[in-house]
Amino acid sequence: MTKLKLASLQDEKPVKLSVAVPAALHRDLVAYAKILSRESGKPIEASKLIVPMVEKFIASDREFAKARGAQSKPIPKPTAPMPEGAPPTSSAPD
């Protein structure tokens, strides 16, 4: 049994997106779909592979995850400067 990166396909409500792919990529998708169909015993259309492949690619891109995490982190609010001579405040018990 071949160990493919895609094990199964999720069935969710899709958002329609139209893309054009090079002929060589289409041939590879068709070949991949044939192998996956043979392994799973279920017919799989080549077009159904695109979403899980892109999802796997994005999930495995560490730099993307870092950049996305940095982008979604809230920017800390600047603290007001302490007036000169004011005693420091602490939330720790005495």
Side-chain angles (χ1 to χ4, degrees):
M1 188 161 167
T2 308
K3 177 103 169 129
L4 299 176
K5 288 195 178 241
L6 294 181
S8 65
L9 302 178
Q10 299 296 321
D11 190 20
E12 292 184 2
K13 184 177 178 181
V15 173
K16 183 82 172 167
L17 191 63
S18 238
V19 297
V21 298
L25 177 57
H26 182 259
R27 286 190 298 272
D28 287 344
L29 286 169
V30 169
Y32 200 106
K34 284 180 184 178
I35 295 167
L36 192 57
S37 293
R38 189 171 54 235
E39 302 258 330
S40 69
K42 296 183 256 181
I44 296 173
E45 295 176 38
S47 62
K48 297 285 186 185
L49 298 174
I50 296 169
V51 171
M53 286 180 163
V54 172
E55 286 174 337
K56 278 238 185 242
F57 173 81
I58 289 174
S60 67
D61 189 326
R62 291 182 182 165
E63 290 302 314
F64 172 71
K66 283 184 208 173
R68 187 178 197 183
Q71 191 177 40
S72 65
K73 287 183 183 171
I75 299 171
K77 293 181 182 178
T79 56
M82 209 170 177
E84 230 178 278
T89 57
S90 172
S91 58
D94 291 334

